Amino acid sequence: MSKKLSLPAQVFIALILGIAVGLVCYFGGFASLTADFLKPFGDIFVNLLKFIVVPVVLLSMIDGILSMNDMRKVGSVGVKTVCYFLVTTAIACVIGLAFANIFKSAGLFPILDPESAEYEVKEFGGFMSTLVSIFPTNMWKSFTDANMLQVIVISLFFGGSILAAGEKAKLCRDFVSSAYSVIEKLMGFIISLAPIGVFTYMAWVVATQGSEILVSLLLVIVCAYLGYIVHAVLVYSASARIFAGMSPVKFFTGAFAAMIFAFTSTSSAATLPVSKECAAELGAEDDIAAFVLPLGSTINMDGTAIYQCVAAVFLASCANISLTITQMIIIVVTATLASIGTAGVSGAGMIMLAMVLEALGIPVAYIGLIVAVDRIFDMGRTCLNVTGDIACSVCVTKWEGKK
Ligand code: ASP
């Protein structure tokens, strides 16, 4: 009897095939075919994920809260989760800064002319207005805009209120649990299409990323990826081992499908359904994962923080600005906040980089120097972001005294 390949194995094969086809198209001179005929299938897959992400976050968080059956437990899980996120993100900033400074001092960063930067500066309101905007004025608008922070707030309020209403809310409880079972089935179906998404996106990226700009920024990319790898190996291996008593190999094998999917889709939010499968595989408690993962895919961005630190130091060196220790501390604080404010969608971390640059007095338009290769940075940072969410769900499960 033929045995079906596991999802991680399918995703891995899709990745290798995607790279092979991408290289053939690149060297064969028909890269545009991948954009015209392969990428659209990846887009369909990501559209499907995006279309279920709001009901998944809403229902899985409310269902998680109802299963915990106690707002104190929700509070305890919430505090542990946020502490884990903040500490690991701050460590990520330190790692990012360390690598960036080593590369800069060794003269490995290219010096590009900032005047050549072309970037249309996008408005962003700063920290306080981000805080205010977390609270929705119109629930339906939060859903249609897929504003995940607002959806999380709505889930917390409704989950808490259903618990508080006790017996009278039985109908609502049953509705949430029944609707969530339906969404889980749908999610399972969409995830089974993940290899198609991975294959088509990978082929497109490999075939179309401009090689000239890639070569000139190669060392900056290498610097960021060293930061991502060291953070994963040090922080997630250590937390899996120390807090969850799990071997790092087991952890990374379990998280593999979500990591590859995040790498190719560059969206933590779109990867959420796959992360849920992986976290369950690794033994994270359902109600805890249902709470931690949506929150993590919205506010926990260690890869983004590393990227923002590396980019800030690199752009400062292009602008001939030597950063002082105080400015380094400013980078750690602003990159932590900026990564929290970054939405789990493709390219969002680059837009939030503006917050770090503004705090340092570097013109935001300099982002134009690295915009062309943002997808390459984004693949690694999203992969790390998602791995951090899964690591947190496993650790919090253990801290809450579950297996
Ligand atoms: N694409 C990243 C994510 O979804 C966010 C970013 O651009 O840094 O996690």
Side-chain angles (χ1 to χ4, degrees):
M1 222 172 77
S2 68
K3 204 167 159 272
K4 211 172 159 244
L5 278 178
S6 67
L7 182 68
Q10 290 180 31
V11 164
F12 183 67
I13 294 171
L15 180 81
I16 302 293
L17 282 179
I19 294 176
V21 170
L23 285 174
V24 169
C25 292
Y26 177 73
F27 288 110
F30 31 90
S32 62
L33 286 187
T34 57
D36 294 341
F37 298 107
L38 288 181
K39 183 173 176 279
F41 290 98
D43 290 342
I44 292 178
F45 179 63
V46 169
N47 285 355
L48 288 178
L49 285 166
K50 283 190 186 153
F51 120 86
I52 55 161
V53 81
V54 169
V56 166
V57 171
L58 184 75
L59 292 168
S60 93
M61 281 198 90
I62 300 182
D63 194 60
I65 293 170
L66 297 182
S67 315
M68 290 189 226
N69 210 10
D70 179 0
M71 271 321 257
R72 265 174 313 196
K73 180 164 178 213
V74 178
S76 143
V77 170
V79 168
K80 289 181 180 113
T81 305
V82 171
C83 288
Y84 182 95
F85 288 166
L86 281 177
V87 171
T88 52
T89 306
I91 297 175
C93 290
V94 174
I95 292 177
L97 274 185
F99 274 105
N101 280 301
I102 293 171
F103 270 63
K104 184 178 169 250
S105 321
L108 293 174
F109 278 159
I111 302 295
L112 303 182
D113 175 13
E115 296 312 314
S116 67
E118 272 176 39
Y119 179 70
E120 196 187 320
V121 180
K122 310 213 172 34
E123 275 294 312
F124 83 102
F127 180 68
M128 280 328 255
S129 82
T130 308
L131 186 71
V132 172
S133 68
I134 292 175
F135 296 89
T137 49
N138 178 338
M139 188 162 86
W140 309 117
K141 191 162 182 325
S142 315
F143 298 157
T144 50
D145 292 350
N147 184 324
M148 285 307 153
L149 275 176
Q150 293 187 352
V151 175
I152 287 170
V153 169
I154 294 168
S155 315
L156 285 174
F157 282 146
F158 272 99
S161 307
I162 295 174
L163 281 184
E167 255 312 290
K168 280 195 177 156
K170 186 167 179 314
L171 189 64
C172 277
R173 265 177 186 266
D174 292 346
F175 172 74
V176 170
S177 135
S178 160
Y180 187 47
S181 317
V182 176
I183 281 291
E184 270 192 312
K185 283 277 168 240
L186 182 55
M187 211 159 73
F189 166 68
I190 297 175
I191 290 171
S192 69
L193 305 176
I196 300 176
V198 169
F199 166 73
T200 50
Y201 265 180
M202 208 57 217
W204 164 66
V205 170
V206 171
T208 57
Q209 284 301 315
S211 50
E212 260 165 53
I213 181 83
L214 203 93
V215 170
S216 74
L217 286 169
L218 191 65
L219 285 170
V220 189
I221 296 172
V222 168
C223 178
Y225 271 78
L226 281 176
Y228 301 154
I229 293 168
V230 166
H231 187 75
V233 170
L234 286 187
V235 178
Y236 302 147
S237 297
S239 46
R241 163 76 74 210
I242 298 169
F243 301 126
M246 182 184 289
S247 90
V249 174
K250 182 173 178 218
F251 172 73
F252 286 109
T253 314
F256 186 73
M259 290 171 74
I260 296 294
F261 189 66
F263 186 75
T264 44
S265 71
T266 63
S267 169
S268 303
T271 310
L272 192 54
V274 192
S275 321
K276 290 198 86 195
E277 289 250 321
C278 293
E281 181 90 354
L282 285 168
E285 189 69 17
D286 267 357
D287 51 1
I288 292 177
F291 185 87
V292 172
L293 294 175
L295 195 62
S297 71
T298 314
I299 66 167
N300 182 41
M301 309 267 170
D302 296 356
T304 303
I306 291 177
Y307 154 79
Q308 286 168 343
C309 291
V310 170
V313 174
F314 166 63
L315 295 177
S317 80
C318 290
N320 214 2
I321 299 174
S322 306
L323 297 170
T324 60
I325 289 290
T326 321
Q327 282 174 312
M328 297 284 177
I329 296 171
I330 292 177
I331 297 183
V332 173
V333 176
T334 50
T336 303
L337 294 177
S339 69
I340 292 173
T342 300
V345 295
S346 197
M350 189 187 67
I351 296 169
M352 290 303 281
L353 174 63
M355 183 171 156
V356 183
L357 296 185
E358 265 186 6
L360 294 172
I362 300 172
V364 174
Y366 285 16
I367 292 177
L369 289 177
I370 48 174
V371 70
V373 286
D374 188 57
R375 191 163 182 108
I376 311 275
F377 284 114
D378 202 358
M379 291 163 86
R381 61 186 194 240
T382 311
C383 176
L384 196 68
N385 293 345
V386 164
T387 315
D389 303 338
I390 299 175
C392 180
S393 69
V394 176
C395 292
V396 175
T397 299
K398 200 70 178 181
W399 292 331
E400 285 293 309
K402 302 269 174 56
K403 269 219 204 123

